[in-house]
Amino acid sequence: MKMLVPMKLVPDVVEELIIAADGKQLDREEIALKLNEFDDHALEQALLIKEAVGGEIIAVAAETGDIDEVLFTALAKGADRGVKLVGDGLEQGLTNRQYAEMLRAVVEETQPDLILTGVQANDDLDGQLATWLSGILDYPFATVVSRVEAADGQVKVQKEFSGGVIANLSLQTPALVGVQVAPATPRYAPISRVRQIMKTTSLDEMEVEVPDVPGPKVVSLAVPVSDGHAEMIEGDAEEKAERLLALLRERGLLA
Amino acid sequence: MSTALVFVEVLDGKIAEITYELLDVARQMVGEDGTVTALAVTRQEMLKDLGKADRILLAANPNDQYLPDVLGKTLAKAIESTQPDIVLAGSTAVGLDVATYAACRTGYGSVAYVQKVAQAGDGWMAEALILGGKMVASVEVPARSVLQVIAGVGNAEQGRAEGTPPVETLEAEAAARTAYYGLTMPDTSDVDITKQDVLVSIGRGIGDKDNVEIAEELAEALGAVVSASRPIIDAGWMPKSRQVGKSGQKVKPKVYLALGISGAPEHLEGMRDAELIIAVNTDPKAPIFDVAHYGIVEDLLDFVPLLTEKINE
């Protein structure tokens, strides 16, 4: 089973988000980027399939931020190939449609049986990469997937709905899945192992152009104005704890 | 005169509530003079309370099979045949399958995570809640756009109306490449978090699996139950039955203690109707404080044991 895992970096929302001078996007010079957590689960799912039935995993990402480390980490975990898309304009970030269009060439070159990517990302304003890609490639697909098993030219998938309801499906390959969560916690690759891989392995670079395709026309980006805000309980920890317990007592939830 | 196409969500023999919310939004967008079409991939007898639509396109799905490939292609076919100005799908597990896919197949634009829509000149303006709810993007929405609308934007009661408008048949796409083997219902042997008065709910701030114990100790002292946000469930630290949020359970307890939960929109969807929300987080800017009634900026790993100790005194 040959698997392609498209990954991307997204703004780390735990860090401060700085809006660019044009007021329409984040200032990419000033924000921290991190691997989209759902992509990490997609890679883990691919690794589990490889362990179960064998196969090859190709991790791919566009050049931005610390993407080399992300791809080398994927190799350290067990991916067989890391492909880095290089070219002008990638540092400004991509819409998912642009990224999906770019990946078409990677799919043609690698001919995967299965593409696994994160179900969503915190910055996918124009919709999700998984479904842009399945639409472009015309592959059978499922998203919000929590388990994938490979069997006889097909993949069996479990798709999750709210409340824990699961649909059981099978897709003919080549197929695409948007992974919500892998059946196991994404494994950890020790830094020493990643450093060793960096010394002994190289990434395959693929020259790309940012496709000129329509995208959402953002008029402004702003911090949401909230309808309300919590009453903040001040004081030292002891005082805060006492106030919280008083709130519970007022409601008869504490003796 | 504007036209809208609404994707009707059907799962397990029921039309999902979001459908009625979308019909409300669609009617607001196109006005009483506009035309709202509802696309339903289901059985004729399932069509209930869709009176807000002017017509229904029914693609037969006699066995209620959930096939993403078929749903996405059928939505694309409906878009091509009706050429609506605007297409609405839910920002849900179903919408994630069909919305962007259909936009891609038809050349329509696509906007995700829409929390507000307003008329703007000949088109519309949408607000999309992105980056974990920390930013809102205002986006121009020209005609020929697909919007994924989050729960709560429309009013389901306003969108629900008795009667069935005229039904036209649309041939569903063939299910040649995907097979459906039915639904697996969730395990109900665990406690039902939707029926608890007090929930001690933990998020990423708990840091480590070993720290879940401090939340359990607090819950025990309060006679409460521990619930969690998605990352805790994904990490395997708590069972799926304890998950609060869009992909988990919607809860309305008397008290919801949100410990180390940042307040991503997907989580808020599941708990914002709690009677009293008290949030504890180290980040004073965490979105959870926008929906909480009371907020405390503290590290839960120190604060929660202190709280438990005081209760047990």
Side-chain angles (χ1 to χ4, degrees):
Chain A
M1 169 88 37
K2 195 178 205 183
M3 292 170 278
L4 181 70
V5 182
M7 306 170 99
K8 72 172 194 176
L9 297 182
V10 294
D12 184 349
V13 298
V14 174
E15 304 295 331
E16 191 163 11
L17 298 172
I18 310 289
I19 297 169
D22 69 0
K24 297 179 181 182
Q25 57 194 328
L26 292 177
D27 185 340
R28 292 184 72 86
E29 301 278 309
E30 298 290 336
I31 59 166
L33 295 171
K34 60 178 281 210
L35 174 63
N36 175 26
E37 60 177 309
F38 296 104
D39 294 348
D40 205 17
H41 280 271
L43 176 65
E44 180 62 33
Q45 178 62 81
L47 292 163
L48 293 170
I49 293 170
K50 183 180 168 182
E51 284 165 0
V53 299
E56 182 189 356
I57 298 171
I58 302 150
V60 58
E63 186 171 41
T64 184
D66 294 330
I67 202 65
D68 283 24
E69 187 155 343
V70 167
L71 289 168
F72 279 119
T73 301
L75 293 171
K77 288 181 177 186
D80 301 277
R81 227 182 118 190
V83 177
K84 181 167 69 166
L85 306 178
V86 297
D88 295 335
L90 297 176
E91 281 296 342
Q92 274 78 58
L94 299 164
T95 64
N96 281 326
R97 183 174 180 185
Q98 286 174 320
Y99 190 23
E101 290 283 356
M102 269 183 198
L103 287 166
R104 195 197 291 259
V106 183
V107 172
E108 279 167 11
E109 192 240 303
T110 56
Q111 296 289 311
D113 303 301
L114 179 62
I115 302 174
L116 304 105
T117 191
V119 63
Q120 61 192 117
N122 66 24
D123 65 346
D124 40 19
L125 181 59
D126 69 331
Q128 293 74 27
L129 177 68
T131 35
W132 273 118
L133 199 50
S134 51
I136 287 168
L137 298 170
D138 193 20
Y139 280 9
F141 68 94
T143 73
V144 203
V145 165
S146 55
R147 182 176 291 272
V148 185
E149 288 171 3
D152 304 330
Q154 294 192 336
V155 285
K156 289 182 177 171
V157 305
Q158 292 190 340
K159 177 195 165 74
E160 286 205 0
F161 299 94
S162 63
V165 176
I166 289 169
N168 300 289
L169 311 168
S170 74
L171 314 174
Q172 277 179 16
T173 58
L176 188 146
V177 291
V179 176
Q180 164 95 14
V181 57
T185 306
R187 66 199 64 190
Y188 174 73
I191 302 294
S192 57
R193 171 95 179 116
V194 178
R195 297 279 176 266
Q196 184 193 1
I197 290 279
M198 281 176 164
K199 285 183 187 143
T200 56
T201 317
S202 60
L203 301 173
D204 297 340
E205 294 194 356
M206 190 182 276
E207 192 77 37
V208 291
E209 284 186 11
V210 176
D212 182 17
V213 291
K217 192 164 180 199
V218 178
V219 177
S220 69
L221 185 68
V223 174
V225 179
S226 162
D227 293 340
H229 196 274
E231 180 185 321
M232 301 308 285
I233 299 172
E234 304 295 348
D236 62 20
E238 290 269 346
E239 290 164 334
K240 289 172 180 171
E242 287 295 351
R243 179 82 178 93
L244 195 158
L245 295 182
L247 286 169
L248 297 180
R249 283 192 196 99
E250 283 166 21
R251 283 162 177 76
L253 294 160
L254 204 59
Chain B
M1 195 173 72
S2 301
T3 55
L5 177 67
V6 168
F7 185 81
V8 176
E9 268 193 32
V10 181
L11 189 69
D12 192 26
K14 290 188 288 289
I15 291 181
E17 199 71 356
I18 187 92
T19 302
Y20 301 109
E21 295 183 14
L22 296 175
L23 286 168
D24 177 42
V25 174
R27 185 50 73 197
Q28 287 180 45
M29 288 177 81
V30 305
E32 291 305 320
D33 295 334
T35 305
V36 175
T37 304
L39 168 68
V41 186
T42 183
R43 294 170 279 130
Q44 172 91 33
E45 57 269 33
M46 286 290 304
L47 305 176
K48 286 191 181 70
D49 297 335
L50 297 172
K52 274 279 173 180
D54 297 297
R55 64 170 175 164
I56 293 176
L57 285 181
L58 177 64
N61 184 7
N63 301 316
D64 275 342
Q65 297 197 79
Y66 186 90
L67 298 164
D69 200 15
V70 171
L71 296 175
K73 276 186 156 50
T74 307
L75 177 56
K77 189 187 243 184
I79 292 171
E80 276 160 1
S81 71
T82 61
Q83 296 289 314
D85 295 315
I86 207 83
V87 181
L88 302 180
S91 184
T92 59
V94 178
L96 281 166
D97 277 341
V98 301
T100 303
Y101 179 84
C104 177
R105 302 295 297 172
T106 54
Y108 270 52
S110 167
V111 185
Y113 314 128
V114 173
Q115 65 160 4
K116 192 174 174 183
V117 187
Q119 195 76 36
D122 292 340
W124 296 276
M125 187 73 81
E127 285 185 1
L129 196 60
I130 54 172
L131 298 165
K134 287 202 163 179
M135 287 281 160
V136 62
S138 296
V139 186
E140 279 183 19
V141 179
R144 298 173 61 84
S145 295
V146 179
L147 304 184
Q148 291 175 49
V149 182
I150 61 180
V153 174
N155 181 320
E157 288 314 304
Q158 297 286 333
R160 196 189 303 269
E162 282 183 13
T164 301
V167 177
E168 296 168 37
T169 304
L170 182 79
E171 195 173 331
E173 285 288 327
R177 307 183 301 176
T178 313
Y180 172 74
Y181 302 105
L183 298 177
T184 303
M185 298 324 255
D187 176 13
T188 53
S189 60
D190 192 19
V191 292
D192 184 350
I193 59 170
T194 66
K195 294 194 164 54
Q196 302 299 317
D197 281 344
V198 184
L199 286 173
V200 173
S201 207
I202 53 175
R204 264 186 231 275
I206 201 79
D208 195 281
K209 186 179 183 178
D210 293 344
N211 297 331
V212 173
E213 193 178 348
I214 63 169
E216 285 169 346
E217 286 166 356
L218 175 61
E220 191 178 345
L222 286 169
V225 163
V226 179
S227 58
S229 66
R230 191 188 51 77
I232 303 301
I233 310 297
D234 287 355
W237 299 349
M238 295 210 78
K240 181 81 185 169
S241 53
R242 303 293 184 101
Q243 186 182 342
V244 173
K246 177 177 170 175
S247 49
Q249 305 286 352
K250 283 191 170 59
V251 297
K252 292 184 188 177
K254 288 180 180 169
V255 177
Y256 189 84
L257 278 174
L259 307 176
I261 291 173
S262 66
E266 292 83 359
H267 185 76
L268 302 185
E269 205 175 298
M271 47 61 75
R272 66 184 331 144
D273 295 331
E275 285 178 37
L276 176 69
I277 301 165
I278 303 171
V280 180
N281 202 295
T282 51
D283 176 8
K285 291 183 179 171
I288 192 73
F289 290 128
D290 291 333
V291 297
H293 302 94
Y294 293 93
I296 291 171
V297 178
E298 284 286 344
D299 185 337
L300 75 94
L301 299 182
D302 302 321
F303 188 71
V304 171
L306 172 69
L307 206 55
T308 308
E309 190 183 323
K310 283 188 171 295
I311 295 168
N312 290 335
E313 276 171 7

PDB file of all heavy atoms in Angstrom, chain A residues 47-69:
ATOM      1  N   LEU A  47       1.331   5.193   9.398  1.00  0.00           N
ATOM      2  CA  LEU A  47       2.352   4.318  10.002  1.00  0.00           C
ATOM      3  C   LEU A  47       1.729   3.023  10.525  1.00  0.00           C
ATOM      4  O   LEU A  47       2.307   1.938  10.389  1.00  0.00           O
ATOM      5  CB  LEU A  47       3.072   5.058  11.141  1.00  0.00           C
ATOM      6  CG  LEU A  47       3.970   6.237  10.707  1.00  0.00           C
ATOM      7  CD1 LEU A  47       4.292   7.144  11.897  1.00  0.00           C
ATOM      8  CD2 LEU A  47       5.247   5.733  10.040  1.00  0.00           C
ATOM      9  N   LEU A  48       0.539   3.136  11.090  1.00  0.00           N
ATOM     10  CA  LEU A  48      -0.155   1.933  11.602  1.00  0.00           C
ATOM     11  C   LEU A  48      -0.527   0.993  10.450  1.00  0.00           C
ATOM     12  O   LEU A  48      -0.425  -0.233  10.583  1.00  0.00           O
ATOM     13  CB  LEU A  48      -1.418   2.340  12.379  1.00  0.00           C
ATOM     14  CG  LEU A  48      -1.175   3.094  13.700  1.00  0.00           C
ATOM     15  CD1 LEU A  48      -2.488   3.651  14.249  1.00  0.00           C
ATOM     16  CD2 LEU A  48      -0.502   2.184  14.732  1.00  0.00           C
ATOM     17  N   ILE A  49      -0.947   1.555   9.312  1.00  0.00           N
ATOM     18  CA  ILE A  49      -1.272   0.722   8.143  1.00  0.00           C
ATOM     19  C   ILE A  49      -0.012   0.030   7.639  1.00  0.00           C
ATOM     20  O   ILE A  49      -0.024  -1.168   7.327  1.00  0.00           O
ATOM     21  CB  ILE A  49      -1.917   1.574   7.023  1.00  0.00           C
ATOM     22  CG1 ILE A  49      -3.300   2.086   7.471  1.00  0.00           C
ATOM     23  CG2 ILE A  49      -2.036   0.774   5.715  1.00  0.00           C
ATOM     24  CD1 ILE A  49      -3.917   3.124   6.539  1.00  0.00           C
ATOM     25  N   LYS A  50       1.073   0.798   7.580  1.00  0.00           N
ATOM     26  CA  LYS A  50       2.337   0.214   7.112  1.00  0.00           C
ATOM     27  C   LYS A  50       2.761  -0.946   8.020  1.00  0.00           C
ATOM     28  O   LYS A  50       3.207  -1.993   7.553  1.00  0.00           O
ATOM     29  CB  LYS A  50       3.420   1.301   7.081  1.00  0.00           C
ATOM     30  CG  LYS A  50       4.762   0.813   6.545  1.00  0.00           C
ATOM     31  CD  LYS A  50       5.793   1.923   6.544  1.00  0.00           C
ATOM     32  CE  LYS A  50       7.189   1.361   6.302  1.00  0.00           C
ATOM     33  NZ  LYS A  50       8.238   2.387   6.331  1.00  0.00           N
ATOM     34  N   GLU A  51       2.594  -0.759   9.327  1.00  0.00           N
ATOM     35  CA  GLU A  51       2.960  -1.823  10.269  1.00  0.00           C
ATOM     36  C   GLU A  51       2.061  -3.053  10.092  1.00  0.00           C
ATOM     37  O   GLU A  51       2.502  -4.186  10.271  1.00  0.00           O
ATOM     38  CB  GLU A  51       2.852  -1.306  11.713  1.00  0.00           C
ATOM     39  CG  GLU A  51       4.021  -0.398  12.075  1.00  0.00           C
ATOM     40  CD  GLU A  51       3.774   0.417  13.342  1.00  0.00           C
ATOM     41  OE1 GLU A  51       2.687   0.283  13.943  1.00  0.00           O
ATOM     42  OE2 GLU A  51       4.681   1.187  13.711  1.00  0.00           O
ATOM     43  N   ALA A  52       0.818  -2.814   9.704  1.00  0.00           N
ATOM     44  CA  ALA A  52      -0.145  -3.924   9.582  1.00  0.00           C
ATOM     45  C   ALA A  52       0.017  -4.699   8.286  1.00  0.00           C
ATOM     46  O   ALA A  52      -0.043  -5.929   8.295  1.00  0.00           O
ATOM     47  CB  ALA A  52      -1.568  -3.378   9.699  1.00  0.00           C
ATOM     48  N   VAL A  53       0.192  -3.983   7.181  1.00  0.00           N
ATOM     49  CA  VAL A  53       0.174  -4.677   5.879  1.00  0.00           C
ATOM     50  C   VAL A  53       1.388  -4.360   5.007  1.00  0.00           C
ATOM     51  O   VAL A  53       1.491  -4.832   3.874  1.00  0.00           O
ATOM     52  CB  VAL A  53      -1.112  -4.345   5.078  1.00  0.00           C
ATOM     53  CG1 VAL A  53      -2.366  -4.773   5.825  1.00  0.00           C
ATOM     54  CG2 VAL A  53      -1.184  -2.865   4.707  1.00  0.00           C
ATOM     55  N   GLY A  54       2.302  -3.550   5.524  1.00  0.00           N
ATOM     56  CA  GLY A  54       3.467  -3.168   4.732  1.00  0.00           C
ATOM     57  C   GLY A  54       3.134  -2.012   3.813  1.00  0.00           C
ATOM     58  O   GLY A  54       1.994  -1.571   3.736  1.00  0.00           O
ATOM     59  N   GLY A  55       4.142  -1.531   3.119  1.00  0.00           N
ATOM     60  CA  GLY A  55       3.892  -0.452   2.181  1.00  0.00           C
ATOM     61  C   GLY A  55       4.894   0.667   2.322  1.00  0.00           C
ATOM     62  O   GLY A  55       5.928   0.524   3.001  1.00  0.00           O
ATOM     63  N   GLU A  56       4.582   1.770   1.675  1.00  0.00           N
ATOM     64  CA  GLU A  56       5.509   2.895   1.611  1.00  0.00           C
ATOM     65  C   GLU A  56       4.745   4.165   1.974  1.00  0.00           C
ATOM     66  O   GLU A  56       3.597   4.349   1.562  1.00  0.00           O
ATOM     67  CB  GLU A  56       6.054   2.989   0.176  1.00  0.00           C
ATOM     68  CG  GLU A  56       7.063   4.090  -0.035  1.00  0.00           C
ATOM     69  CD  GLU A  56       7.421   4.284  -1.514  1.00  0.00           C
ATOM     70  OE1 GLU A  56       6.940   3.520  -2.374  1.00  0.00           O
ATOM     71  OE2 GLU A  56       8.143   5.240  -1.788  1.00  0.00           O
ATOM     72  N   ILE A  57       5.416   5.033   2.729  1.00  0.00           N
ATOM     73  CA  ILE A  57       4.789   6.302   3.113  1.00  0.00           C
ATOM     74  C   ILE A  57       5.624   7.464   2.573  1.00  0.00           C
ATOM     75  O   ILE A  57       6.839   7.527   2.811  1.00  0.00           O
ATOM     76  CB  ILE A  57       4.676   6.429   4.647  1.00  0.00           C
ATOM     77  CG1 ILE A  57       3.786   5.315   5.203  1.00  0.00           C
ATOM     78  CG2 ILE A  57       4.128   7.808   5.043  1.00  0.00           C
ATOM     79  CD1 ILE A  57       3.782   5.233   6.717  1.00  0.00           C
ATOM     80  N   ILE A  58       4.970   8.350   1.865  1.00  0.00           N
ATOM     81  CA  ILE A  58       5.629   9.556   1.360  1.00  0.00           C
ATOM     82  C   ILE A  58       4.977  10.743   2.057  1.00  0.00           C
ATOM     83  O   ILE A  58       3.771  10.972   1.915  1.00  0.00           O
ATOM     84  CB  ILE A  58       5.451   9.687  -0.167  1.00  0.00           C
ATOM     85  CG1 ILE A  58       6.008   8.440  -0.865  1.00  0.00           C
ATOM     86  CG2 ILE A  58       6.120  10.957  -0.690  1.00  0.00           C
ATOM     87  CD1 ILE A  58       5.321   8.095  -2.150  1.00  0.00           C
ATOM     88  N   ALA A  59       5.773  11.464   2.837  1.00  0.00           N
ATOM     89  CA  ALA A  59       5.265  12.676   3.497  1.00  0.00           C
ATOM     90  C   ALA A  59       5.616  13.860   2.608  1.00  0.00           C
ATOM     91  O   ALA A  59       6.739  13.944   2.092  1.00  0.00           O
ATOM     92  CB  ALA A  59       5.897  12.835   4.869  1.00  0.00           C
ATOM     93  N   VAL A  60       4.659  14.772   2.428  1.00  0.00           N
ATOM     94  CA  VAL A  60       4.904  15.919   1.555  1.00  0.00           C
ATOM     95  C   VAL A  60       4.412  17.186   2.241  1.00  0.00           C
ATOM     96  O   VAL A  60       3.414  17.171   2.963  1.00  0.00           O
ATOM     97  CB  VAL A  60       4.224  15.731   0.168  1.00  0.00           C
ATOM     98  CG1 VAL A  60       2.726  15.513   0.286  1.00  0.00           C
ATOM     99  CG2 VAL A  60       4.513  16.926  -0.746  1.00  0.00           C
ATOM    100  N   ALA A  61       5.169  18.271   2.024  1.00  0.00           N
ATOM    101  CA  ALA A  61       4.761  19.558   2.585  1.00  0.00           C
ATOM    102  C   ALA A  61       5.408  20.670   1.769  1.00  0.00           C
ATOM    103  O   ALA A  61       6.430  20.454   1.098  1.00  0.00           O
ATOM    104  CB  ALA A  61       5.191  19.664   4.040  1.00  0.00           C
ATOM    105  N   ALA A  62       4.812  21.846   1.834  1.00  0.00           N
ATOM    106  CA  ALA A  62       5.372  23.010   1.140  1.00  0.00           C
ATOM    107  C   ALA A  62       6.374  23.703   2.057  1.00  0.00           C
ATOM    108  O   ALA A  62       6.217  23.710   3.279  1.00  0.00           O
ATOM    109  CB  ALA A  62       4.253  23.969   0.762  1.00  0.00           C
ATOM    110  N   GLU A  63       7.395  24.305   1.436  1.00  0.00           N
ATOM    111  CA  GLU A  63       8.465  24.931   2.213  1.00  0.00           C
ATOM    112  C   GLU A  63       7.953  26.185   2.928  1.00  0.00           C
ATOM    113  O   GLU A  63       7.502  27.124   2.288  1.00  0.00           O
ATOM    114  CB  GLU A  63       9.623  25.316   1.286  1.00  0.00           C
ATOM    115  CG  GLU A  63      10.821  25.847   2.043  1.00  0.00           C
ATOM    116  CD  GLU A  63      12.024  26.013   1.131  1.00  0.00           C
ATOM    117  OE1 GLU A  63      11.828  26.482  -0.009  1.00  0.00           O
ATOM    118  OE2 GLU A  63      13.136  25.666   1.558  1.00  0.00           O
ATOM    119  N   THR A  64       8.016  26.131   4.222  1.00  0.00           N
ATOM    120  CA  THR A  64       7.677  27.295   5.051  1.00  0.00           C
ATOM    121  C   THR A  64       8.118  26.967   6.463  1.00  0.00           C
ATOM    122  O   THR A  64       8.126  25.791   6.857  1.00  0.00           O
ATOM    123  CB  THR A  64       6.169  27.613   5.011  1.00  0.00           C
ATOM    124  OG1 THR A  64       5.927  28.800   5.760  1.00  0.00           O
ATOM    125  CG2 THR A  64       5.318  26.521   5.611  1.00  0.00           C
ATOM    126  N   GLY A  65       8.524  27.981   7.225  1.00  0.00           N
ATOM    127  CA  GLY A  65       8.899  27.762   8.623  1.00  0.00           C
ATOM    128  C   GLY A  65       9.889  26.617   8.791  1.00  0.00           C
ATOM    129  O   GLY A  65      10.841  26.470   8.027  1.00  0.00           O
ATOM    130  N   ASP A  66       9.645  25.790   9.810  1.00  0.00           N
ATOM    131  CA  ASP A  66      10.555  24.674  10.102  1.00  0.00           C
ATOM    132  C   ASP A  66      10.087  23.387   9.433  1.00  0.00           C
ATOM    133  O   ASP A  66      10.106  22.319  10.047  1.00  0.00           O
ATOM    134  CB  ASP A  66      10.612  24.442  11.627  1.00  0.00           C
ATOM    135  CG  ASP A  66      11.252  25.618  12.336  1.00  0.00           C
ATOM    136  OD1 ASP A  66      12.108  26.276  11.724  1.00  0.00           O
ATOM    137  OD2 ASP A  66      10.890  25.869  13.496  1.00  0.00           O
ATOM    138  N   ILE A  67       9.681  23.480   8.176  1.00  0.00           N
ATOM    139  CA  ILE A  67       9.085  22.308   7.534  1.00  0.00           C
ATOM    140  C   ILE A  67      10.099  21.175   7.380  1.00  0.00           C
ATOM    141  O   ILE A  67       9.722  20.004   7.407  1.00  0.00           O
ATOM    142  CB  ILE A  67       8.426  22.666   6.178  1.00  0.00           C
ATOM    143  CG1 ILE A  67       7.379  21.621   5.818  1.00  0.00           C
ATOM    144  CG2 ILE A  67       9.457  22.843   5.078  1.00  0.00           C
ATOM    145  CD1 ILE A  67       6.198  21.559   6.741  1.00  0.00           C
ATOM    146  N   ASP A  68      11.388  21.512   7.245  1.00  0.00           N
ATOM    147  CA  ASP A  68      12.404  20.447   7.142  1.00  0.00           C
ATOM    148  C   ASP A  68      12.336  19.540   8.371  1.00  0.00           C
ATOM    149  O   ASP A  68      12.366  18.315   8.258  1.00  0.00           O
ATOM    150  CB  ASP A  68      13.809  21.048   7.050  1.00  0.00           C
ATOM    151  CG  ASP A  68      14.106  21.588   5.662  1.00  0.00           C
ATOM    152  OD1 ASP A  68      13.150  21.909   4.926  1.00  0.00           O
ATOM    153  OD2 ASP A  68      15.280  21.693   5.308  1.00  0.00           O
ATOM    154  N   GLU A  69      12.234  20.175   9.526  1.00  0.00           N
ATOM    155  CA  GLU A  69      12.197  19.393  10.760  1.00  0.00           C
ATOM    156  C   GLU A  69      10.951  18.505  10.802  1.00  0.00           C
ATOM    157  O   GLU A  69      11.005  17.360  11.250  1.00  0.00           O
ATOM    158  CB  GLU A  69      12.226  20.326  11.972  1.00  0.00           C
ATOM    159  CG  GLU A  69      12.363  19.554  13.250  1.00  0.00           C
ATOM    160  CD  GLU A  69      12.994  20.365  14.373  1.00  0.00           C
ATOM    161  OE1 GLU A  69      13.610  21.407  14.114  1.00  0.00           O
ATOM    162  OE2 GLU A  69      12.842  19.921  15.509  1.00  0.00           O
TER     163      GLU A  69
END
